[in-house]
Amino acid sequence: MMTTASNRTDRPPRGRRIALGAVTGLLTAAAALGAAELTAGLLGSPQASPVVVVGDAVVDYSPAPLKEFAIAVFGIYDKVVLLAGIVAVLALFAVAIGYAALRRPAVGYAGLAVFAAVGVVAAFARRNVEPLAVLPVLVGVLVGAAALYLLSARAVPLLRTGSQAGQGGGMERRRFMLAGAGVLALAGASGGIGRFLVGGSAAGASRSAVRLPTPDSPLPPLPKGVDLDVPGLTPFTTPNREFYRIDTALTVPRVSPQDWGLRVHGLVDRPVELDFETLLRRSVGEYDITMTCVSNQVGGELVGNTRWLGVSLAELLREAGVQGGADQILSTSTDGWTCGTPTDVVMDGRDAILAFAMNGEPLPFEHGFPVRMVVPGLYGYVSATKWVTDIKLTRFADEQAYWAQRGWAVKAPIKTMSRIDVPGPLERLEPGTIAVAGVAWAQHRGVEAVEVRVDEGEWSRAELAEVPDIDTWRQWIWEWEATEGRHTLEVRATDATGYTQTSERAEPIPDGASGWHSVQVIVE
Ligand SMILES: Nc1nc2c(c(=O)[nH]1)N[C@H]1C(S)=C(S)[C@@H](COP(=O)(O)O)O[C@H]1N2
Ligand SMILES: [Mo]
């Protein structure tokens, strides 16, 4: 035993303990995550990756206002920010484990056990619990423990050499670095292979192989006048890659059409089961429908329009025979997300569809490949289930869907809304004629009028573009004789029921934002 005094002189500088601890901890975490990825890959389940499992649990259990905040602040990057946050917390935790392990190994292993517990709890907290989902975490932690053992065994002598790191110190340093490089290489390789395995290249190939049927009831080409051709104005048709994406899925489900099936059951007379081929053999139609997210702020961009290819959902439900009292269509996606749609809305004659293509292309994976629901007039969270595989007829009184459980409205028709696209906020303009233009939507009621006013003056009627039907948004334009000064432009829409968009401001939660969009500009 060393005396206290000699212990003190031999104690390595704190900086070295932190550095060695950090490297040990981070490499341990890398080894654990790599092994977990590989296991998830061998299971063929991207959802089983521990980072995703924990992320999913955070998404499911964070309060609605927090999620709303994340969407408002980070927009479509909310998931990237969340994953980055999880990785950052993980890294800090790893450094702490490594640091502790160099002094007291037991504390290091206990830290790993905590890590495993978080992963297991998160896996079981998921909506569709799969026992196998805990396997990657367990394998990861075992491999992590082995890495920690290996690395700390080589790091501790480096600490002991203290200030007199002579020849022996150099040897020991080399052994530590060799072990570290080995662990890093193994972590990288296993992680890479795991990612590759879940990459879904098979699903990618099967998506490219889908041959879209020619519609039995095709639509005429879009009327010429749907686009007013004003620079900066949102195009009538949203290109697929620019279509907003909102969902709770941290990894996009990649379901191949061969594996896809749909079950219609619950309160029906004749349950139905369909595969992809059978679905495509039904009567296929084209549909122009604008979709909107309930989280869209006034003036926001969580709205898009496309020409869908799909089959009638109402027809399918009629075949199944909906029983009296079944007022809710509860649909579920492959990743367990649920959505509650009013049965009467789907059956009222509107084009509620099971869609499999948008803009002449099979649905992109992000937008629900191979099949999703679309119902004109309802916000996405109560109508637009992506990767849908299960439709259960039930009662609102008996079951609640994902967002309804989290404080959002059970029923949510899209509110009549209008947006100014040009000029942009705080744009500097020259006096003279200025094109003020934007889009307005009131799906399944139709936009009847759009009005604009400047500095709270008289309302002026905007000119409206053509539309194919009442389920899409509508472009509008108003020519303004701009005079010098700072001005505020405001817009409001009136739908075909005669209802004029309210000026009353409401936040997206619980049933959609309201209020007039306004833009300030400087004319000089
Ligand atoms: N499986 C699944 N489907 C889903 C969601 C989801 O989280 N998971 N989100 C819904 C919401 S809130 C909206 S607004 C639309 C968005 O569809 P998009 O991403 O194709 O634009 O999908 C709906 N369908
Ligand atoms: Mo949404």
Side-chain angles (χ1 to χ4, degrees):
M1 267 277 133
M2 282 184 256
T3 66
T4 316
S6 71
N7 197 2
R8 206 160 268 153
T9 30
D10 281 356
R11 174 170 284 182
R14 203 192 173 91
R16 174 148 15 132
R17 180 186 287 277
I18 292 178
L20 280 171
V23 171
T24 301
L26 289 173
L27 286 174
T28 297
L33 287 181
E37 278 313 321
L38 181 59
T39 313
L42 291 172
L43 292 175
S45 161
Q47 266 86 9
S49 150
V51 178
V52 174
V53 167
V54 171
D56 275 335
V58 173
V59 171
D60 285 358
Y61 289 91
S62 54
L66 181 63
K67 262 182 277 201
E68 211 195 324
F69 167 82
I71 290 176
V73 175
F74 304 118
I76 52 169
Y77 296 109
D78 56 344
K79 292 188 212 8
V80 180
V81 172
L82 171 63
L83 287 179
I86 290 174
V87 168
V89 170
L90 197 72
L92 277 177
F93 190 56
V95 168
I97 287 182
Y99 180 75
L102 295 193
R103 181 169 294 178
R104 304 199 29 211
V107 178
Y109 295 113
L112 270 179
V114 168
F115 175 79
V118 170
V120 169
V121 167
F124 276 107
R126 290 253 50 204
R127 332 172 252 273
N128 44 350
V129 183
E130 269 198 54
L132 280 183
V134 301
L135 205 58
V137 177
L138 296 181
V139 172
V141 165
L142 285 180
V143 170
L148 184 60
Y149 177 80
L150 193 81
L151 292 168
S152 51
R154 282 158 181 74
V156 169
L158 285 176
L159 291 176
R160 281 213 205 93
T161 48
S163 47
Q164 14 106 16
Q167 281 228 299
M171 259 279 268
E172 276 159 348
R173 190 174 310 143
R174 219 168 305 129
R175 289 184 59 198
F176 176 73
M177 280 167 62
L178 213 64
V183 167
L184 189 63
L186 269 180
S190 54
I193 295 171
R195 291 270 84 190
F196 174 79
L197 289 176
V198 298
S201 38
S206 68
R207 178 174 176 273
S208 326
V210 168
R211 295 200 45 219
L212 295 175
T214 41
D216 302 276
S217 41
L219 284 176
L222 287 170
K224 274 216 165 46
V226 292
D227 272 303
L228 294 169
D229 292 324
V230 179
L233 174 57
T234 307
F236 178 78
T237 298
T238 313
N240 287 357
R241 66 185 180 295
E242 278 163 38
F243 208 95
Y244 77 93
R245 175 190 162 201
I246 292 287
D247 54 60
T248 59
L250 282 176
T251 45
V252 176
R254 287 176 156 248
V255 186
S256 82
Q258 288 77 33
D259 298 335
W260 182 85
L262 175 69
R263 198 159 83 94
V264 181
H265 64 116
L267 300 173
V268 294
D269 296 332
R270 296 166 294 275
V272 177
E273 287 198 29
L274 273 181
D275 60 18
F276 192 64
E277 263 184 43
T278 321
L279 184 84
L280 264 51
R281 275 203 300 273
R282 297 179 66 83
S283 176
V284 172
E286 286 184 303
Y287 308 89
D288 292 315
I289 301 168
T290 299
M291 231 168 55
T292 310
C293 181
V294 69
S295 296
N296 194 47
Q297 300 281 353
V298 172
E301 307 209 313
L302 301 179
V303 49
N305 178 66
T306 186
R307 180 163 281 192
W308 308 90
L309 201 57
V311 305
S312 164
L313 176 58
E315 235 172 77
L316 186 66
L317 293 183
R318 268 192 295 274
E319 284 171 27
V322 177
Q323 294 173 359
D327 59 356
Q328 174 174 230
I329 300 168
L330 188 70
S331 51
T332 308
S333 60
T334 48
D335 69 337
W337 185 82
T338 54
C339 168
T341 312
T343 311
D344 56 351
V345 172
V346 167
M347 305 303 277
D348 76 357
R350 73 184 70 200
D351 291 327
I353 55 170
L354 291 168
F356 46 80
M358 57 199 284
N359 290 331
E361 236 188 75
L363 294 177
F365 287 110
E366 298 79 37
H367 297 293
F369 183 81
V371 181
R372 77 175 305 169
M373 275 174 55
V374 179
V375 182
L378 302 182
Y379 285 119
Y381 82 104
V382 289
S383 68
T385 313
K386 306 191 267 192
W387 318 291
V388 63
T389 51
D390 191 285
I391 290 180
K392 180 181 179 190
L393 273 293
T394 177
R395 297 186 188 89
F396 281 111
D398 294 343
E399 277 174 275
Q400 290 216 308
Y402 187 90
W403 286 113
Q405 288 168 17
R406 290 162 174 77
W408 294 77
V410 167
K411 297 186 183 178
I414 297 173
K415 293 180 179 176
T416 299
M417 186 51 71
S418 51
R419 183 178 84 197
I420 300 170
D421 287 345
V422 285
L426 298 180
E427 199 168 310
R428 285 168 190 276
L429 306 163
E430 282 178 16
T433 310
I434 302 286
V436 180
V439 286
W441 58 88
Q443 288 94 321
H444 209 60
R445 298 183 295 280
V447 173
E448 191 69 17
V450 170
E451 296 163 288
V452 184
R453 68 176 184 180
V454 183
D455 302 329
E456 304 196 358
E458 291 293 299
W459 288 101
S460 304
R461 278 250 187 170
E463 188 191 317
L464 297 177
E466 299 284 321
V467 272
D469 62 51
I470 57 173
D471 292 337
T472 71
W473 59 11
R474 191 163 197 175
Q475 292 188 353
W476 56 267
I477 181 170
W478 178 67
E479 296 205 332
W480 173 39
E481 294 306 324
T483 54
E484 276 188 25
R486 211 186 157 99
H487 299 290
T488 301
L489 301 164
E490 283 174 294
V491 66
R492 68 178 187 191
T494 298
D495 64 34
T497 70
Y499 170 83
T500 298
Q501 180 185 341
T502 177
S503 63
E504 212 170 293
R505 280 263 163 183
E507 286 303 303
I509 196 164
D511 64 354
S514 71
W516 294 335
H517 187 214
S518 69
V519 165
Q520 284 198 21
V521 293
I522 299 134
V523 184
E524 57 187 7

